[in-house]
Structure formats: structure tokens, C-alpha cells
Amino acid sequence: IKKIGVLTSGGDAPGMNAAIRAVVRTALSYGWEVVGVIDGYSGLHAGNFIQLTRRSVSDLLNRGGTFLGTARFPQFKDPKVREEAVEVMKQNGIDALVVIGGDGSYMGAKFISELGFPCIGLPGTIDNDIAGTDATIGFDTALNTAVEAIDKLRDTCSSHKRISVVEVMGHHCGDLAVCAAVSCGVEAVLVPEVKWDKDEVYASIKRSVDAGKRHAILVVCELQTDVHQMAKDLEALTGLETRATVLGHIQRGGTPSAVDRVLASRMGAYACELLKSGESGRCVALKRGELVHYDIIECINSMKHKFMKTTYDLACSLG
Ligand code: ADP
């Protein structure tokens, strides 16, 4: 290997910059050149590259987002476009690629690997929904952001005798909701992995209010229900003022937590180690504190993210 490329793709996540920095500095220490690809797969296809030095990644460790930019580029689903992108890399002397992104980005990385081009995937998403890894880069920061927001809502709910329905992100993965629920001791947590019944949820909130509880907080994973309607229903049922809050993209931004910085730095360096030892078509994962790697094709085709069932049960029994 003489020269590698690094890109961030899909939804941004805090810690992506820390991962890029680790890739760049580790690769340079091996004597490789590094180019950053602007705006994910669209920049890859367009040959939009910038040369990266040690200095290019200074003062980035603590910054949210991704300085390389990210984009949705659905054209990458077209095999011809992918072949063209691989050709662009070869023409630019790039021998290997590190992709930092979520499961959609992993699909792109899988196809690049299938074309025989060395590629390593790093899990960068706040959703924690990548198979095989206990944590993704950005999850811890997003969780801390959600917890801080819910704590604030609790203060005002308790003062005003209010109910709060809080929608958190996570896409089809309830990890963010479940961990926020345990951290904030909420009354109910609604996630896609566990079937829930609206009437039962409403009845349990009503029982708490009737028993004299001054406030209640429900954490709802996105795409589960209309939280504004849920707030109206609960207000009508309990007589307590009820507000819905959609935390939204606030959870995507902000300075990465120390946990995410460490994870991103470890994973970025590990990606280069894998390439150095001749690995390709692998994705990096955290398993019981250690970094491991899987076949990216296997990860996409046959592995499933494991839902945090025991933590969910804990949220229910303590909340
Ligand atoms: P994330 O990586 O956060 O899950 P997306 O699902 O939007 O985000 O995927 C990011 C990008 O990855 C897409 O815009 C596209 O360029 C590429 N991608 C997604 N799915 C595929 C696929 N099936 N085949 C090839 N490329 C894909």
C-alpha cells in the first residue's frame, strides 16, 4: 500500500472526525499517503479528493460532525457507478479505502470489496444499529445529549405537574431509547424490538397519575408513533398538561464524548493495522472491550444487531 482514501458517509455522528484523524496519522506513520474524500460516495465517484497531512487533522478531535462532509448518494446502488468509482480511485493511485458510516454506507463498502478493491468499514452512526459491534462511533455522545435533554424536561415537568413524551432517534434500533430510559428513570420506553400496546401504556400512565405522581416521562424511539398525538391522548386521559418533544438532529451534533473519542481513535488506527496486515473487505467492531473484525459481506448478509433486552427489562422494572 502506498496511498489510502478515507470517507464518511450517510448520517453524520460525533466522533467521525476523531476516527479520520486516527486513520490519517496511523497511515502516515506507516509511510502511506492519505487522501480525504469529500462528501462520501458522491465525492468518490467525482474524484473529489484532498491530500491530508498530520496538520490537516489538527484541532478536530473535539469537533462534532465530519470535516470531510457526508452525503446521501443513491446512485451508488448502480453497479456501473460503483465500478466507475473504483476506477477513479485506481487512476488516482489509491490502493485502499476506509469507509466510516452506518449500515447503508456498509452496503457501499461491501460492494467495493466485492469488486476486489481493499476496503475497511468503521461503524459511525448514533443509532448503534450495526451488527456485531457492542458500540458504534457517536452512540455514546448522542445518548449523553438525549439524557441531558430529558433531565431538563424532568425538572420542568416536575415543577408544573406535566407529562412529557420524548422522541429520540435510533431509526429501527431501540438502543438509544433504552439506554436513555435507564439513565433517566422514565415511566415508559417504546421501541421497535418489543411489541407495545397503546392502551396498556396509557393505562399505566393513568394509574401512576391517579396514584399521585407529579410527572411522567415517556421515551419513544422515532418511527414508532406520532408523539404529538400521543401527548394529546394522554392529556385528555389524565387531565395533566402533556407536551411532546422531538429531540431530532440535536442528537447528531455536538462535541464527541470521551468514550466516542477513544473508540473512534482506536478503530481508526485499527483499520490501518488491518490494511497493513493485508486484510480487506473487513468491518471493525467492539466486542467486550476488544476490537475485532468481521467479513463485511457476512456482516451485511447474515449478522444481526443484538437488541439490549436485559437493559430494556431493567428500564421497565426500575421505571
Ligand atoms: P448510513 O450509512 O448512515 O446508514 P445511508 O443509508 O443513507 O446512511 O447510506 C449512505 C450512503 O451509502 C448512501 O447515500 C449510498 O451512497 C450508499 N448506500 C446505501 N445503500 C446502498 C446500497 N444498497 N448499495 C450501494 N450503496 C449504498
Side-chain angles (χ1 to χ4, degrees):
I1 291 176
K2 289 204 178 70
K3 186 176 183 175
I4 67 166
V6 56
L7 67 78
T8 47
S9 164
D12 65 343
M16 280 181 161
N17 281 326
I20 300 165
R21 173 180 177 271
V23 168
V24 170
R25 294 198 168 170
T26 308
L28 292 173
S29 77
Y30 294 161
W32 302 344
E33 267 185 76
V34 191
V35 294
V37 181
I38 303 300
D39 292 342
Y41 292 122
S42 83
L44 192 70
H45 186 250
N48 196 356
F49 305 138
I50 50 166
Q51 192 79 23
L52 297 175
T53 64
R54 275 190 77 82
R55 290 285 294 281
S56 326
V57 288
S58 297
D59 293 326
L60 280 178
L61 198 51
N62 58 339
R63 273 178 40 202
T66 157
F67 85 103
L68 290 176
T70 178
R72 311 273 184 197
F73 184 57
Q75 294 91 320
F76 212 64
K77 291 181 182 164
D78 178 351
K80 190 167 158 286
V81 171
R82 295 196 295 261
E83 279 164 27
E84 285 164 2
V86 167
E87 202 44 48
V88 170
M89 284 194 279
K90 286 180 180 164
Q91 278 164 9
N92 281 271
I94 298 170
D95 310 303
L97 180 70
V98 177
V99 169
I100 308 162
D103 51 2
S105 307
Y106 267 37
M107 282 299 276
K110 174 190 111 135
F111 286 124
I112 292 173
S113 304
E114 283 175 344
L115 288 170
F117 194 89
C119 186
I120 303 287
L122 298 186
T125 167
I126 65 160
D127 298 334
N128 213 40
D129 58 351
I130 304 254
T133 189
D134 295 337
T136 57
I137 297 164
F139 175 71
D140 183 71
T141 307
L143 173 60
N144 279 295
T145 302
V147 166
E148 201 184 318
I150 296 166
D151 282 348
K152 285 178 178 163
L153 286 169
R154 172 186 291 279
D155 290 345
T156 170
C157 278
S158 155
S159 312
H160 284 268
K161 228 176 165 228
R162 238 186 233 145
I163 298 174
S164 217
V165 183
V166 189
E167 183 184 294
V168 300
M169 289 183 78
H171 207 220
H172 297 293
C173 176
D175 288 8
L176 198 54
V178 164
C179 292
V182 172
S183 305
C184 300
V186 305
E187 278 59 40
V189 54
L190 310 178
V191 292
E193 293 87 348
V194 183
K195 235 174 111 51
W196 55 275
D197 178 77
K198 203 172 259 181
D199 294 332
E200 274 174 32
V201 173
Y202 288 1
S204 101
I205 298 294
K206 173 108 172 69
R207 273 196 303 276
S208 309
V209 171
D210 290 347
K213 232 177 157 328
R214 283 188 64 82
H215 61 82
I217 296 180
L218 295 84
V219 168
V220 183
C221 182
E222 65 182 337
L223 309 173
Q224 284 297 286
T225 190
D226 178 350
V227 287
H228 298 284
Q229 186 57 49
M230 184 170 258
K232 279 188 199 145
D233 295 346
L234 282 169
E235 183 161 311
L237 182 74
T238 62
L240 287 192
E241 188 188 346
T242 305
R243 296 270 178 104
T245 306
V246 177
L247 296 184
H249 279 182
I250 285 178
Q251 296 157 99
R252 283 257 196 93
T255 184
S257 67
V259 167
D260 275 331
R261 293 182 206 190
V262 172
L263 182 68
S265 301
R266 288 176 70 194
M267 287 184 162
Y270 191 67
C272 292
E273 282 171 35
L274 290 178
L275 287 172
K276 191 167 180 242
S277 59
E279 296 285 357
S280 130
R282 312 295 292 177
C283 56
V284 173
L286 183 74
K287 201 87 212 143
R288 297 194 184 91
E290 296 294 329
L291 293 184
V292 295
H293 55 100
Y294 298 107
D295 184 323
I296 198 159
I297 300 171
E298 194 188 320
C299 176
I300 293 275
N301 292 349
S302 50
M303 289 168 66
K304 246 184 96 83
H305 175 71
K306 198 164 168 282
F307 175 58
M308 303 176 164
K309 180 69 170 66
T310 18
T311 313
Y312 170 82
D313 290 340
L314 191 65
C316 297
S317 67
L318 298 180

